[in-house]
Structures are given as C-alpha cells and as structure tokens.
Amino acid sequence: MKALIPETGFRATFCRELRRIARSRLLLLSLFALPPLAFAFIAWFFSEGVLRDLPVAVLDQDHSALSREIIRRMDATPGIRIHLVVPDFPEGQEAIQRGEVYGLLLIPKDLEKEARRGLAPVTSLYVNNTYMIAASLIMKDATLAMQSLSAGLELKRHMAEGQTRKAAMARIQPIRVDMRAPFNPYTNYFYFLAATLLPTLLHMFVITSIIYAFGSELAHSTAGQWLERAGGSALVAMLAKLLPYTLIFWVWGLFMNAFLFRMGVPMEGSALFLRISAASMILAYQAIGIFLVALCANLRMALSLASFYASTAFAFVGITFPAMGMPSAARIWGDLLPLTHYLRLFVDQTLRGAPVQVSLDAFGSLWLFILLASGAGFALMPRTLKNPECWGRS
C-alpha cells in the first residue's frame, strides 16, 4: 500500500490529511458524529411540524350557555387547549407567570345578556408575548373562533327579524376577504425552521473544521512537514488538505437536502440547482475559513472570529425576522453571510417553486464569496505557512 503513495505531491498530502483526520478526535466529531446527531435532534424537535394544543386558562364570570359555547369553540381549535379554569384573575395571572399556560381568556359577567340585547360585549384574551410564536397562534385561533361565533349569533338575530339567510349574510359580511397562502399553507414549522436550521448548523461545522485543519498546522508547528510533504508547493499543500473536507461536507450537504425532502419539505424547483448551491455554500465557508487562518496566523483568534461570524448568522438571514424590516446595518451584515443567500435560494427552489433565473443573483453572491475569500486566502496563506514566526501560535 505504501508503494502506491508517493513521498511528496498532491496524493501524498491528501493521504497525510486523511491520517490526521483519523487521529484527531475533534475532527472526527465535527466531520462524522455531530452532523448526523444535529440532524436527528432537529428532526425530532420539530417532528410535530404544526403547533397544537397550546395550554390556555379560562376565567368564566358569566357561567351561561354562551360562555360555555365560547369555551367549547376555543378548545376545539387546533392551536388552543383549555388547560385550566381559574376562579379569579390573580390566579390566572400567576398561571401565566409560572409558565403553566400561555394565555388567559376572560369572559365577563352578563356576557349573554348583553349579546342578546345587541350591545356587543367584549371578551379579553391575555397572552404571554414573550413566546411570540405561541402567542400569535393563540390569538389567531381565538380570533377565528370568536368571529365564527359572533357571525353565527348575528345571522340568527337577522333571520329572527324576518330576513332571508342570503340577505342576513350580506349584512354580516358585506365584503369578504379570500385569504390564500400559496407557500407553506399548512404553517408547518418544520418547513419554516428545521429546513433553515440544518444549513445553519452545517455551515458552522464547515467553517470550524476547516479553520482547525489549517490552523492546527500552525499551532502544532507542523506546517513545515506539511509543506515538505507537498513538495514545497503551498498551493498543492492547501488544495490537497482541502479536498477531503470538501468531499465529506458535500456528502453531508446531499444527505441534508435528501433528509429534508424525506421529512416532507416540498421540492417545487430545481433539485440539481439546489445541490450545486449547497456545494457552493460549503466552498464559500471553507474559503472564508482559510482566509481567517491566513489573516490571523493564529488558531485561537481565527476560531474566535469564526464563532462570532457564524453563530450570529441565523438572526440576520431574514428567516425569523424579515430582512425588509431590519435596520440598514443589520441588512448589510446579513448580506455579508453566505448562509443568507443560500437560504433565499433554498426557499425559492423548495417552497416557492421559483424559476432558476430568479435565484441566480443569490447563486452569484455565493460564488462572489468563494472567489474573493479564496483569492485572499490563497494569496496570504503561503507567506504564513513559510514563516516560522507564525508556527507554534495557539
């Protein structure tokens, strides 16, 4: 076997890197153990997809047939479960503060009497908006339930006055809104969050692994041996070291997308274009990692900068908070992240089914990162590798 591997050159350096990976517990974890564990955890955590049966407390001060109908309708909605009936307001408030329920529905006294007299009584819903997703879902389902109940009461009142059903319906809702959600109509949080969290985790594994692979050569003072194995060519040394990580993460990128589609994420656009884009995102973060190592010539500093750069990415990619609502500085920071452009492309090609032409600007942005970061990294790295003053820096 040794006879098949030359002493120096690309193949020798490639095989050397494979041996380094096999001997490094950290690289084995980041390359082979953490990605599947992260994918499995996200899949399990968001396996439900749609939030259901969020606990809500009720304070019924009316104890009438109408108040019981309100409670029944609230409990029948998919997002609300009547978990607790409280005797007074302070106990309901404490239940929210304890985190036992997400909201409190207050049904006032004389509700049914005022409704029969046409006085439009008010029910109050208190929600814990610290949990914005849960609160918004409770408010949406509660509003729909109350609108349906109110429309039914109005319809009965108008028909009791002698109007036809059609005329009564026209008075209740003279202008109707036909609301349609062409993309993710099921409000499935797996499509929304899990499908974006997996690339977020993957890009963190990519950038930290490549920084450790390159930076540890400097930290452990093995850069000279690395260059010697590559025949003295810094370019050969860098490309041969980079190749195994590129292949491994490319496989993880393919697996990630296949896994998402297997879990139900729709593929409405070009699957081939999406695979190429995932590989491009991986190359972009590898190029950035090499640039940081070449710039800092220090493993600890490069990892610290990468941690700041990568860990804050999810907040600025425009998924959980729309980019159009961000301040200019936040939008600029988001545009400086390859993940932002990949996720835009991912949403376009999966949920929206957009033509490839629509996503070419995001794809071009990924390759702009690759060209600029790799150009700077490959220009700076040879000088760093050949400078013994940079060796031994942890």
Side-chain angles (χ1 to χ4, degrees):
M1 184 69 182
K2 288 185 177 180
L4 299 176
I5 303 174
E7 291 294 325
T8 60
F10 186 93
R11 194 190 306 173
T13 311
F14 177 81
C15 292
R16 175 184 180 272
E17 192 60 32
L18 292 180
R19 289 192 295 271
R20 290 185 79 246
I21 291 173
R23 294 169 184 166
S24 171
R25 193 175 302 172
L26 182 62
L27 288 175
L28 288 174
L29 279 173
S30 61
L31 292 175
F32 300 108
L34 291 179
L37 287 175
F39 293 173
F41 174 77
I42 294 297
W44 167 77
F45 194 80
F46 291 101
S47 58
E48 194 66 27
V50 180
L51 288 177
R52 297 184 183 277
D53 297 329
L54 297 169
V56 172
V58 173
L59 172 57
D60 184 2
Q61 297 177 333
D62 194 41
H63 301 289
S64 62
L66 180 58
S67 68
R68 289 190 291 273
E69 177 65 13
I70 290 173
I71 295 172
R72 188 191 67 78
R73 288 189 179 234
M74 290 287 184
D75 196 45
T77 62
I80 296 175
R81 173 172 58 88
I82 301 302
H83 172 73
L84 190 65
V85 177
V86 295
D88 52 44
F89 185 81
E91 187 167 333
Q93 188 177 23
E94 288 178 9
I96 294 177
Q97 292 171 341
R98 288 195 307 268
E100 186 177 354
V101 295
Y102 289 108
L104 170 65
L105 175 67
L106 172 59
I107 302 176
K109 191 176 180 180
D110 297 329
L111 175 83
E112 188 173 47
K113 291 179 182 178
E114 292 184 5
R116 287 178 177 176
R117 293 166 59 190
L119 297 179
V122 176
T123 59
S124 301
L125 177 65
Y126 299 86
V127 292
N128 185 355
N129 213 32
T130 304
Y131 305 100
M132 292 182 65
I133 293 177
S136 62
L137 183 60
I138 288 171
M139 288 189 289
K140 184 193 79 171
D141 280 8
T143 300
L144 290 174
M146 291 302 296
Q147 285 177 344
S148 174
L149 178 61
S150 298
L153 293 175
E154 280 289 297
L155 180 63
K156 289 179 180 178
R157 188 171 67 85
H158 288 306
M159 291 180 67
E161 294 173 354
Q163 297 181 19
T164 64
R165 183 180 181 85
K166 187 175 181 180
M169 287 294 295
R171 291 196 61 181
I172 294 170
Q173 200 173 30
I175 300 176
R176 282 190 268 181
V177 178
D178 183 15
M179 296 181 65
R180 305 191 183 195
F183 313 120
N184 194 12
Y186 313 106
T187 61
N188 191 309
Y189 284 93
F190 187 88
Y191 302 168
F192 164 56
L193 283 177
T196 52
L197 279 171
L198 292 188
T200 302
L201 292 171
L202 182 65
H203 95 280
M204 296 178 72
F205 296 140
V206 170
I207 194 170
T208 53
S209 297
I210 208 67
I211 286 177
Y212 182 80
F214 278 73
S216 61
E217 298 278 13
L218 299 175
H220 301 156
S221 299
T222 56
Q225 302 170 20
W226 175 26
L227 275 172
E228 184 180 349
R229 185 58 57 90
S233 171
L235 180 61
V236 170
M238 295 170 67
L239 290 176
K241 177 181 279 291
L242 188 63
L243 182 58
Y245 300 94
T246 304
L247 293 175
I248 291 168
F249 280 117
W250 179 67
V251 170
W252 279 125
L254 292 176
F255 175 80
M256 174 186 70
N257 285 332
F259 173 75
L260 289 172
F261 302 144
R262 180 71 177 174
M263 293 297 293
V265 175
M267 181 66 246
E268 303 291 345
S270 171
L272 176 61
F273 183 59
L274 187 61
R275 293 189 186 102
I276 296 172
S277 301
S280 301
M281 182 192 73
I282 291 167
L283 288 174
Y285 277 105
Q286 287 183 324
I288 292 169
I290 294 171
F291 169 69
L292 290 175
V293 173
L295 180 67
C296 299
N298 183 296
L299 176 60
R300 186 180 302 169
M301 180 62 71
L303 283 173
S304 298
L305 290 176
S307 297
F308 172 76
Y309 182 70
S311 62
T312 61
F314 191 71
F316 295 93
V317 293
I319 296 296
T320 55
F321 192 90
M324 289 182 290
M326 293 181 182
S328 298
R331 287 201 304 272
I332 292 171
W333 179 250
D335 288 336
L336 293 175
L337 303 166
L339 181 66
T340 301
H341 305 284
Y342 174 73
L343 289 180
R344 288 174 185 167
L345 188 152
F346 180 88
V347 172
D348 283 344
Q349 295 303 310
T350 55
L351 298 179
R352 294 177 186 161
V356 169
Q357 295 89 327
V358 173
S359 301
L360 286 179
D361 59 338
F363 184 75
S365 297
L366 289 174
W367 274 92
L368 186 62
F369 280 104
I370 294 170
L371 295 174
L372 292 179
S374 63
F378 275 75
L380 294 174
M381 185 64 81
R383 184 178 59 186
T384 303
L385 293 182
K386 296 176 181 178
N387 184 2
E389 295 182 1
C390 297
W391 301 350
R393 295 181 181 178
S394 59

